Amino acid sequence: MSLGAVFLESVASGVITEQEIAWVTRQQSRFARHEAALAIRLGRLLDEGQINLGCRLA
């Protein structure tokens, strides 16, 4: 899993899973500066309601 993949899938589907959020929080200390900016953007999209917490159906 990569942050870029999580971000793109979340933006495309409008959903982020609990497992993905857990992965992001566990990995955040390892993020490079550009990845940290992407994680912040993901959090803002969640705050704005553009991405929702849920499950993605296949």
Side-chain angles (χ1 to χ4, degrees):
M1 188 179 306
S2 73
L3 183 58
V6 170
F7 181 82
L8 290 176
E9 185 66 30
S10 297
V11 169
S13 67
V15 173
I16 189 167
T17 66
E18 289 183 46
Q19 292 83 9
E20 290 167 337
I21 288 182
W23 180 85
V24 170
T25 56
R26 283 193 310 270
Q27 300 297 317
Q28 66 184 348
S29 64
R30 297 183 180 107
F31 289 160
R33 186 177 179 136
H34 69 279
E35 292 171 317
L38 197 58
I40 290 169
R41 179 72 180 136
L42 191 58
R44 287 186 181 147
L45 291 171
L46 276 161
D47 289 343
E48 294 169 359
Q50 293 183 28
I51 295 177
N52 297 298
L53 182 61
C55 64
R56 209 176 286 115
L57 301 176

